[in-house]
Amino acid sequence: PLFVLMSAHYGWAYGLIYVLAYVFVSLGIFNVVAAVFVEQVIVGAKSSSALVRRQRLRDKEFFASKIAQLLQVIIDVEGDVPGKSRAYSVRTIFEKAEEIVITPQLLERVRQEPRFGEILNELDVPDSDQLELFETLDAEGNEVIKLEAFVDGIGMLRGEPKRSDMVHLTCMVRSLQAEVRGLEARMGLQGAADAAPLVDL
């Protein structure tokens, strides 16, 4: 071995330096290879997870089945049988859900059910949105959420926020501002016309 020859010709100190240098270089190369391998594994896992999430978001049947499960939980809690899921058909679930008025109190009771949170996670609804779910879905601010608004709202909350969402919201706000300005202008003209003095002919 080389370190034996170096020790014999130059002394044990040089042999020891060679061994230490060899060990450090070997460990360095191993760490670099391991780091590259781990990075590739993480990138692959993220890509796979993102692909699965996109497939879920595009799968209407998956969404419909999970919404039916969510409504099943709401029906059970509203009927004072939390934790005990009755066997209903999808049609029956939606018919019963239409009769239920979702209030802050009811939704808070529903949120106590572990299955409700699990289904929302499977639908890729972020945890931060789950905490203020009622405030988010109660667009009219009347402390009541209708079935259609609940289903549409859950669908909109799925996945990570996208740039297109912000652009869409900005366009809606600008359109609303334009309508308000137009209304103000019309009201101003009407007010001026009403305030104009009458001229006797």
Side-chain angles (χ1 to χ4, degrees), residues 9-85:
H9 287 81
Y10 302 103
W12 63 269
Y14 286 97
L16 179 61
I17 292 173
Y18 170 79
V19 171
L20 292 177
Y22 181 83
V23 170
F24 283 130
V25 171
S26 299
L27 289 177
I29 295 175
F30 174 78
N31 287 335
V32 170
V33 173
V36 172
F37 175 75
V38 171
E39 182 180 4
Q40 293 300 320
V41 170
I42 293 175
V43 170
K46 288 183 177 179
S47 300
S48 178
S49 177
L51 179 60
V52 171
R53 186 177 291 110
R54 285 197 298 269
Q55 290 176 343
R56 282 183 177 180
L57 294 177
R58 295 174 180 175
D59 190 349
K60 295 182 179 180
E61 292 184 2
F62 174 81
F63 177 69
S65 66
K66 292 302 175 182
I67 285 295
Q69 294 176 24
L70 278 179
L71 297 178
Q72 174 78 67
V73 176
I74 295 175
I75 292 171
D76 292 339
V77 172
E78 197 272 341
D80 292 327
V81 287
K84 299 180 180 179
S85 181

Side-chain angles (χ1 to χ4, degrees), residues 1-9 15 18:
L2 185 57
F3 74 90
V4 174
L5 295 176
M6 292 187 64
S7 299
H9 287 81
Y18 170 79

Side-chain angles (χ1 to χ4, degrees), residues 179-195:
E179 291 182 6
V180 170
R181 291 194 186 100
L183 181 60
E184 289 178 345
R186 288 194 296 272
M187 292 180 63
L189 292 175
Q190 183 65 37
D194 293 340

Side-chain angles (χ1 to χ4, degrees), residues 76-104:
D76 292 339
V77 172
E78 197 272 341
D80 292 327
V81 287
K84 299 180 180 179
S85 181
R86 299 176 181 176
Y88 293 127
S89 65
V90 174
R91 180 177 179 179
T92 303
I93 289 175
F94 278 91
E95 289 177 351
K96 287 183 172 292
E98 288 180 348
E99 303 172 358
I100 296 176
V101 176
I102 302 177
T103 62

